[in-house]
Amino acid sequence: MADPELVDVVVVGLGVGGEEVAGRLAEAGLSVVGVERDLVGGECPYWGCVPSKMMIRAANAIAEARRVDGLAGTAEVRPDWAPVAKRIREEATDTWDDTVAVQRFTGKGGRFVRGTARLDGPGRVRVGERVFQARHGIVLGTGTRPSVPPVDGLADTPYWTNRQAIEVEELPESLLVLGGGAIGLELAQVFARFGVRVTVVEALDRVLAVEELEASEVAAAALRADGVEIHTGVRAERVGHDGHGFTLHTAGGAEFTAERLLVVTGRRAHLDELGLDTVGVDAGRRYLAVDDRLHVTEGIWAVGDVTGEGAFTHVAMYQAGIVVADVLDHARRAAGGADPSGTASATGGASGTTGVRGSAGAVPRADYRALPRVTFTDPEVGAVGLTESQARERGVNVQVGLARLPSSARGWIHKAGNEGFVKLVADADQGVLIGATSVGPAGGEVLSGLAVAVHAAVPLARLRQMIYAYPTFHRTVEDALRNMS
Ligand SMILES: Cc1cc2nc3c(=O)[nH]c(=O)nc-3n(C[C@H](O)[C@H](O)[C@H](O)COP(=O)(O)OP(=O)(O)OC[C@H]3O[C@@H](n4cnc5c(N)ncnc54)[C@H](O)[C@@H]3O)c2cc1C
């Protein structure tokens, strides 16, 4: 076996989080090895956020064109998947080739290694025959993979995950979607708008079950209006494939058939593959437990979906900023510049370690109170912080205000496609918002102001004194504040 190669930092998994950490640490002057077994950039640019939002953009254009009738004359729409598939292939993914992304990383001074990495004892990472010894730390950004439920027969069928759904060049005639969460609903609506007969099967009693009940109702109604069949409270028991199509049998004895089956029942980290036992970390958990500086254990940080703090690109990027600051702080301390205040900048270098450029400033602590999330259905479902039921479960003295978009000036003007609402959840004792949901044509954008309010704990009294531009969708926030009780 070759001697270990000594480097400053090894980053395992160059998805959204890992690539950001590795690139920024390399730019700061550390010697960084980034290991990726698949495509640099990870799920988001190749099979997640970016291509799915291109699909949604196209599907929404179709829906808007269909709203011309009754608003602006008539429009004939003939959906064609070819330009969508082409855009995903050529503009989003370079036909699933990461040459540009690898160059982006190496251009920052990082060293790229293609392969599957495993921890190999404290400070060590093995990739095949090569072993790297990290002076300052190891960052795990290994993400998640689709979690496929143990439904009888399913594993033997050619079911789709998000990957095949994103890569599809020719649409099926019909599609069964197993899972009514954000990804399931987004893709179901897209395919339905392109003429696919779509059926969603969800085991829980409502779609988008983690969001407000009212959001589930509006989203389900919107999808049904697009022709999607939705069955909730239905548990898949057995799946068969006869060479042409799928049959899904439910626990209640119902049967659903379709040409294709898309399984989107959540995602799961695969900790067992990472060699965590070699560093004394429990691999039996669902996610890697981290503290508020994303530490897993001495010399190991984690970033992104693998931490279980929210499977969103913006969470991975947010955490990456903290990891970068903390690793640089450690590197600076190791170089002899210890600062007991813990707020030192990471400048200068020392013998034995690579020079560290740049100023990290105070290392921030992760705070997820105001975590925003958006389901990009039409209408969009934006939410931040706690839902009403989450707040009640925590024993908060809850106040709630809700206002419907169609009864707002802008909603009434907008007419077709105006479904939605703003719902506010406040801590009555503190007089601040602790959660909010904004559903509507621009639900994700309206969310921005609400996220600021939750993040900065803006007093309700201040929010009531604000001026809200007329006639915007976000003026519904003022109505919801007025309706609080
Ligand atoms: C269909 C879909 C739509 C989505 N839409 C949105 C959205 O609109 N907005 C949003 O915020 N988020 C969205 N997401 C979620 C988003 O894609 C993830 O939160 C994000 O990709 C997480 O980044 P990550 O770096 O943690 O993990 P990943 O992007 O999963 O990257 C992890 C990387 O690690 C590599 N890896 C794993 N193990 C090893 C190993 N042992 N050795 C070497 N390499 C390894 C993997 O190959 C992978 O490239 C969507 C996801 C999906 C599936």
Side-chain angles (χ1 to χ4, degrees):
M1 188 184 63
D3 286 340
E5 298 172 48
L6 195 59
V7 297
D8 287 334
V9 177
V10 180
V11 180
V12 178
L14 297 183
V16 176
E19 188 193 350
E20 177 74 5
V21 169
R24 283 175 60 186
L25 290 178
E27 278 179 324
L30 294 182
S31 67
V32 180
V33 165
V35 190
E36 170 57 54
R37 68 172 164 209
D38 203 344
L39 296 179
V40 173
E43 207 69 12
C44 181
Y46 297 103
W47 299 283
C49 334
V50 177
S52 68
K53 266 77 249 177
M54 282 184 176
M55 291 160 72
I56 288 166
R57 166 77 179 118
N60 287 359
I62 290 174
E64 270 303 274
R66 286 177 177 149
R67 290 171 185 144
V68 166
D69 283 24
L71 280 178
T74 55
E76 197 189 335
V77 186
R78 282 190 303 277
D80 179 6
W81 189 252
V84 185
K86 182 171 188 285
R87 191 164 180 225
I88 290 173
R89 205 184 328 110
E90 294 180 2
E91 293 177 34
T93 68
D94 275 350
T95 319
W96 292 274
D97 180 311
D98 67 351
T99 306
V100 172
V102 171
Q103 283 166 357
R104 189 165 63 212
F105 173 52
T106 54
K108 292 173 180 170
R111 228 165 102 203
F112 178 61
V113 175
R114 182 91 64 192
T116 297
R118 265 182 83 80
L119 298 168
D120 194 34
R124 278 197 311 280
V125 173
R126 172 184 290 276
V127 188
E129 290 299 302
R130 297 172 76 177
V131 177
F132 299 94
Q133 179 76 44
R135 277 191 201 95
H136 297 312
I138 296 166
V139 182
L140 301 173
T142 48
T144 54
R145 295 210 294 274
S147 160
V148 178
V151 175
D152 195 21
L154 178 60
D156 303 324
T157 67
Y159 66 85
W160 281 359
T161 65
N162 63 297
R163 291 203 169 190
Q164 291 75 33
I166 295 286
E167 290 178 13
V168 67
E169 292 276 340
E170 294 209 3
L171 295 184
E173 174 272 324
S174 54
L175 177 73
L176 266 172
V177 179
L178 190 57
I183 295 174
L185 292 198
E186 288 181 1
L187 294 174
Q189 190 176 45
V190 164
F191 289 128
R193 287 180 165 183
F194 275 88
V196 178
R197 182 172 59 79
V198 181
T199 307
V200 174
V201 175
E202 165 60 53
L204 298 175
D205 62 358
R206 61 187 173 103
V207 294
L208 285 189
V210 295
E211 300 300 353
E212 296 282 7
L213 175 62
E214 297 88 346
S216 303
E217 290 170 350
V218 172
L223 264 76
R224 285 190 170 118
D226 279 314
V228 177
E229 242 186 69
I230 298 181
H231 299 270
T232 54
V234 172
R235 194 163 285 280
E237 199 171 59
R238 192 157 44 86
V239 170
H241 185 258
D242 64 3
H244 301 288
F246 291 81
T247 305
L248 186 148
H249 305 266
T250 73
E255 256 183 43
F256 299 102
T257 58
E259 188 184 336
R260 290 285 172 195
L261 170 67
L262 169 62
V263 179
V264 274
T265 44
R267 304 192 54 94
R268 167 169 113 69
H270 289 257
L271 303 185
D272 48 332
E273 308 170 345
L274 297 178
L276 289 164
D277 52 314
T278 69
V279 292
V281 172
D282 179 11
R285 302 177 65 121
R286 196 170 152 78
Y287 295 106
L288 272 178
V290 287
D291 68 11
D292 59 5
R293 290 188 183 187
L294 287 314
H295 278 160
V296 178
T297 186
E298 183 62 30
I300 301 184
W301 287 259
V303 65
D305 283 8
V306 73
T307 66
E309 299 287 1
F312 301 105
T313 285
H314 45 272
V315 170
M317 298 293 281
Y318 169 74
Q319 292 177 330
I322 296 170
V323 172
V324 167
D326 206 32
V327 171
L328 291 178
D329 191 47
H330 272 67
R332 189 200 58 77
R333 286 164 189 271
D339 173 5
S341 72
T343 58
S345 65
T347 50
S351 58
T353 191
T354 315
V356 182
R357 291 189 296 271
S359 171
V363 178
R365 309 275 177 155
D367 172 4
Y368 305 102
R369 273 177 318 113
L371 173 59
R373 49 203 187 270
V374 180
T375 301
F376 291 88
T377 42
D378 172 19
E380 291 177 358
V381 177
V384 61
L386 301 179
T387 61
E388 179 182 355
S389 62
Q390 287 168 342
R392 291 197 191 283
E393 275 160 26
R394 292 182 189 199
V396 176
N397 180 11
V398 172
Q399 246 190 326
V400 171
L402 186 141
R404 298 270 170 191
L405 241 53
S407 11
S408 71
R410 178 57 180 275
W412 178 75
I413 293 164
H414 195 79
K415 204 170 174 178
N418 67 356
E419 284 309 318
F421 63 86
V422 168
K423 179 171 178 177
L424 308 176
V425 180
D427 179 331
D429 297 335
Q430 304 295 322
V432 295
L433 290 184
I434 52 174
T437 297
S438 90
V439 180
E445 307 306 322
V446 170
L447 187 69
S448 145
L450 295 167
V452 172
V454 174
H455 176 74
V458 180
L460 288 171
R462 295 297 299 269
L463 293 176
R464 290 196 174 99
Q465 287 156 7
M466 261 179 65
I467 303 171
Y468 297 82
Y470 179 88
T472 56
F473 288 117
H474 78 248
R475 245 180 99 80
T476 313
V477 173
E478 191 178 34
D479 299 338
L481 282 165
R482 208 175 292 124
N483 295 343
M484 282 200 105
S485 58

